[in-house]
Amino acid sequence: MDKVTQQQIEDGLAQPATRRSFLGKSALLGLTGAGVSFGLAACKENGGAAAPAASASAKAAGGELGHEVQPGQLDDYYHFSSGGHSGEARILGLPSGRTLRRIPVFNIDPMVGWGITNESKAIMGTKADGSLKYTTGDTHHVHGSYKDGIYDGRWLFINDKMHGRLARIRMDTMECDKIIELPNIQGFHGIFPDKCDPVDPKINYTTRVFCGAEFHIPLPNDGRDLGDPSKWGCLFTCVDAASMEVRWQVRVDGNMDLVATSYDGKLAASNQYNVENGADLASMMSAERDACVFFDVARIEALVKAGKFTTIGGSKVPVVDGRKAANPDAKTAVTCYVPVGKNPHGVNASPDGKYFVCSGKLSPTATVIELALVQKWFAGELKDARDAVVAEPEIGLGPLHTAFDGKGNAYTTLFLDSQIVKWNVDKAIAHFKGDKTAKVVMDRIDVHYQPGHGYSSMGETKEADGKYYNSGNKFSKDRFLPVGPLHSETEQLINISGEKMKLISDHTAYPEPHDGIMVRRDLVKTRQIYHMDDFANAVKTPADSRVERKGNKVSIFLMSQAPNYSMPIIKVKKGDEVTLTLTNHDKVEDLTHGCAIPTHNVNFIVNPQETKSVTFKTDKPGAYWIYCTHFCHALHLEMRSRLLVEG
Amino acid sequence: MDKVTQQQIEDGLAQPATRRSFLGKSALLGLTGAGVSFGLAACKENGGAAAPAASASAKAAGGELGHEVQPGQLDDYYHFSSGGHSGEARILGLPSGRTLRRIPVFNIDPMVGWGITNESKAIMGTKADGSLKYTTGDTHHVHGSYKDGIYDGRWLFINDKMHGRLARIRMDTMECDKIIELPNIQGFHGIFPDKCDPVDPKINYTTRVFCGAEFHIPLPNDGRDLGDPSKWGCLFTCVDAASMEVRWQVRVDGNMDLVATSYDGKLAASNQYNVENGADLASMMSAERDACVFFDVARIEALVKAGKFTTIGGSKVPVVDGRKAANPDAKTAVTCYVPVGKNPHGVNASPDGKYFVCSGKLSPTATVIELALVQKWFAGELKDARDAVVAEPEIGLGPLHTAFDGKGNAYTTLFLDSQIVKWNVDKAIAHFKGDKTAKVVMDRIDVHYQPGHGYSSMGETKEADGKYYNSGNKFSKDRFLPVGPLHSETEQLINISGEKMKLISDHTAYPEPHDGIMVRRDLVKTRQIYHMDDFANAVKTPADSRVERKGNKVSIFLMSQAPNYSMPIIKVKKGDEVTLTLTNHDKVEDLTHGCAIPTHNVNFIVNPQETKSVTFKTDKPGAYWIYCTHFCHALHLEMRSRLLVEG
């Protein structure tokens, strides 16, 4: 481990922040909107992407990339971000940095009713008594599904490290539609969708999601081997993207952190920071090098097909043994362990499809691994897996994650140096081969402070465009107005279109986004209203709006249309179990209604043409005003129904 | 607390903290010693506000007010905002529009552990089984406590309309410290702190919080009178700001919506949109005018003191009768009903202390009520309460809320017109008196779309500064990149420093901020780290770090210091009820740790020097890695302890 001194840090390059000047034109723009017609008329049967008021392309005076998106203009990129232990995903617009939407996933969100409606509870998972199994989660990485090497706008996948779950978000409505719990793992951290089938190149889109597990646990984790961590293990998991069922798992030596996948679908990999299988900090750092473990997807699936697997505990998921001892022959091995710098904290695929880069974290290096050489190793034609390493430049202290600009340059976050370092991959390879004149490091820029993930516009696709880079900094310190002991994090947007990096703006982020992706806006096609027919329980006509009783189970079928619910008075009895189903009949884009029931802990919203339901007990006689919580109309305050609970 | 004031910054007295000293202290702490060492390395005894890197004052090219806050600069204003049915409060920086912090109040926030820690659950309220009573809430209005007519930076108060609760947020740590449920009311919407005692002018600070209830309910609401809404009623509630206990309530005719208070402490008022006591939309709109009801605070408290009150149901809170029939003589009346335009949706106090303005909503007018004339009515010297109205200008369609610039101008949101209208109060009064040449409306500006609340910088204080105005728009429609059927809301920042209003920028807001306040940054003094002694259960020394068992109740006393917890292995048994108490020994500002326990639905954070606790059941034997969820150190990923649950 490298010793870092205060002097070394103070000697580091300090580059003054640069940014474009303010244009002062904003006041003149955006004044064209007329009043929106209000009432019950349908403005838009099917939204799709709303027609933008103006093209975006934030440009500063000199035509330089800026972050300013003037009123009435749209952002150029969607930024999909994890929300850490907030349990949610987030959508921002870039370059403005505006948060466009929170997507509740593993958390309860009373605004939309996530974790409250019956539909969301079914997705989140419940205990026998109907209460939620978990109300917490820890999202780290969000990645989009691919087609032909770029995002297809179909799904986002996001992990929960806390409870070992994988969630899927459908990108047409930007809502979570599936959550699964992975068996026999703990500390599920890294995640990446595949980009192609390893065997059939015609399947050039995402069909698998790979999941890396960080924590060693007893297998199965049922109370055995608690005193002997040497018997514990970690599994790499493959989930079917469409069915969200676990296809298979591979047991590895060491642990896994992040995941990357090759563009040809043949390889997946995970960096490993604890090849020692250590159970405490000291033993996790005893080895000289850690590794990046590669998986030969086709071979694994062939073994599964051939029945050459075991299962663990009550799980029926096929588990293939990927440990070194079980894979002595490279020509049949399912895994290849490429040694890299100590405690790497990231593995990233270059947009040209040739390399994976692992960062050193405790080593001041990035390790460049050539995929063709890994394939050669799997073919038995490369003796030592370490020979797949084609470069290992010294780039600075605490390197964590690497992004790419599509022009041959890499951008790595330096956690300890609080910098982003720009370096050239070809130059690094030349230098590694012996050309000591090759200038590897191109530029450095200070960020504020301690960056974790960094990522570039379209940088994880074949169409990396080299425009913007986001540095996700873990500490904001004095960067924003003080708001007490809990600090915001700093997201810094950097213009990487030129030779030198230029800091554009500081955004705030509620803790704690780890990773994110920047997606060109034309790749995202959303629905702007729902289809009523998509909901089997839709309350479609006034005749359907009614109260039904079976014993003490009462069903309320309600409709909303601004500024009214379809029934002004609803009578139930104390002790009833009430299921209220609400269909929003408004068709105007953005005309969402809320539905709150005082003292009954119920709130949810219904977007245009959407149906949702809630179930609750009525244990207190009295009058309770069901009211609209989502501003809908000039008479929004007056939009209420009386729920009369008779004693 | 060494808080840096705006003046100090502008005077250049505050020295920027050295960036490199941050890096050295936070990043390197503990890095060199890989073992579990617990030597305290205090970097900063007392945080206070970190010295800002530069003065803010966002200015456009021509010296005009802009929204651009350059990297490293600070905002000029805190913007405290409600979060609607998200259940939270929010802090933004203005003019940048950056969200600096979410403050969970009525919602569960797994990021901080709100609703998860024992301490937060005690504030939120639990059922007999220890689970939370409510996990939803609907925050509308957030207002700060006052001293001498401006914010004193002590407390924020925020309502929950859904379950009739009032919460208090302490502004030194920006955390909720108290939540109470108001008795015998429903639809608690409006809220305002008083600014002075009505009797003792030396008490020139907030000691009361007034709460308006919107929904008529049976009194008590125990199942009686369900079929006869004419017997239902609404109560105005006064809460003691310091003890957060309900002092008294007043029953009124009609309902109440928002609340305003006079600078001299003598009057509080609430606009009424349903003087008809109607129970459905048609009957709520049958009268020709609605009203603004004024409360004579001193008289009410004299009656309470004299025992002239009743109580309702099981509540012991004194209830004074403020209905017209009980108050025939103005000279002894506790309430004065001033007729105003139909279905008003707001009442706001002018910074000069002279007027309250009610908006018409269904009437295109704003009604200006002179407080001196209301006092005259209470003195029996004004025959008709309507004569307290000194102006009623026609300003546009759907007027909702009015803000002020301290220069005699008012800014009213026009919901239906989707505009902000600027009008002059004195000119409106002159026009009302008969001067038809008086030009009342000064300017109009389109906003996007349908504004609800609008508020100006320091506009609800004596030091309204006429710089910025925020229009909180309820619909964004096509204003931002499409993100599915659920839309963000649009917050638009307007420069009101000149004759004409100028739109500066569009921000997004997760639904649904209703109201907010803009507070000059020098008025907010936060603590940047906690004091360990503030927590009675702090785990202060390595010797205190231990596991204690009493039967199946196990107490774990743990400490955190990057990158370690104080115990690497913690053993418990299946079936235990475990209480884990964690004290963060890091003293570096912003060095927060998380604490997650896989499959046990536990996550919370501890900020520097803070202590929190959680209680959970261990019902599954196995190994569970307690891990740090809040990025803290280069070895953050490695910061874990093993919780071994023996079968």
Side-chain angles (χ1 to χ4, degrees), chain B residues 180-389:
Chain B
I180 60 162
E181 204 167 336
L182 307 182
N184 294 309
I185 59 95
Q186 208 171 97
F188 160 34
H189 187 191
I191 171 180
F192 220 98
D194 72 355
K195 297 157 187 153
C196 190
D197 186 81
V199 176
D200 183 355
K202 287 195 297 294
I203 303 175
N204 65 341
Y205 51 86
T206 292
T207 57
R208 299 168 185 79
V209 183
F210 299 111
C211 311
E214 216 178 297
F215 303 162
H216 290 73
I217 51 170
L219 294 170
N221 191 19
D222 58 2
R224 74 184 67 189
D225 301 332
L226 293 184
D228 187 1
S230 71
K231 292 184 177 167
W232 302 5
C234 281
L235 305 176
F236 185 74
T237 303
C238 174
V239 175
D240 188 278
S243 70
M244 287 289 279
E245 285 173 6
V246 178
R247 285 191 180 185
W248 45 259
Q249 296 183 300
V250 176
R251 182 164 179 182
V252 300
D253 287 317
N255 75 345
M256 284 156 297
D257 186 23
L258 301 206
V259 174
T261 62
S262 67
Y263 282 90
D264 64 7
K266 296 186 191 307
L267 296 174
S270 183
N271 62 296
Q272 303 189 288
Y273 70 77
N274 180 18
V275 296
E276 304 90 339
N277 295 335
D280 54 43
L281 192 55
S283 56
M284 285 181 199
M285 306 215 292
S286 58
E288 195 171 329
R289 277 211 178 102
D290 279 304
C292 180
V293 55
F294 284 80
F295 299 88
D296 186 313
V297 179
R299 284 187 190 169
I300 293 164
E301 299 196 345
L303 287 182
V304 170
K305 200 170 176 187
K308 293 181 179 169
F309 60 80
T310 57
T311 59
I312 296 174
S315 164
K316 293 198 169 71
V317 172
V319 179
V320 172
D321 195 338
R323 289 176 289 183
K324 288 171 193 163
N327 292 270
D329 181 0
K331 279 187 273 191
T332 57
V334 295
T335 50
C336 168
Y337 295 81
V338 178
V340 302
K342 193 61 193 148
N343 285 44
H345 188 48
V347 55
N348 297 92
S350 65
D352 59 10
K354 291 184 186 171
Y355 309 107
F356 282 5
V357 174
C358 282
S359 310
K361 192 166 86 171
L362 299 192
S363 157
T365 55
T367 304
V368 181
I369 302 167
E370 186 173 337
L371 301 192
L373 294 175
V374 174
Q375 295 281 34
K376 219 169 163 184
W377 184 91
F378 275 118
E381 297 162 11
L382 191 74
K383 194 177 170 191
D384 187 346
R386 174 70 190 172
D387 292 338
V389 171

Side-chain angles (χ1 to χ4, degrees), chain A residues 19 27 30 68 78 88 99 101-102 109 138 216 221 273 343 482-483 508 510 601 623 625 627 638 640, chain B residues 68 78 88 99 101-102 109 135-136 138 216 221 273 343 448 482-483 503 508 510 623 625 627 638 640:
Chain A
R19 69 169 331 290
E68 185 102 347
Y78 287 90
E88 67 190 22
T99 301
R101 189 163 170 181
R102 302 179 194 169
D109 183 348
D138 185 16
H216 290 74
N221 192 19
Y273 71 78
N343 285 45
V483 289
T508 55
Y510 192 64
N601 201 30
W625 290 90
Y627 74 96
E638 291 82 348
R640 317 187 215 147
Chain B
E68 185 103 349
Y78 288 89
E88 68 189 20
T99 301
R101 189 164 169 179
R102 303 180 194 169
D109 183 348
T135 58
T136 58
D138 186 16
H216 290 73
N221 191 19
Y273 70 77
N343 285 44
H448 313 86
V483 289
L503 177 61
T508 54
Y510 193 63
W625 289 90
Y627 74 97
E638 291 82 350
R640 318 186 214 148

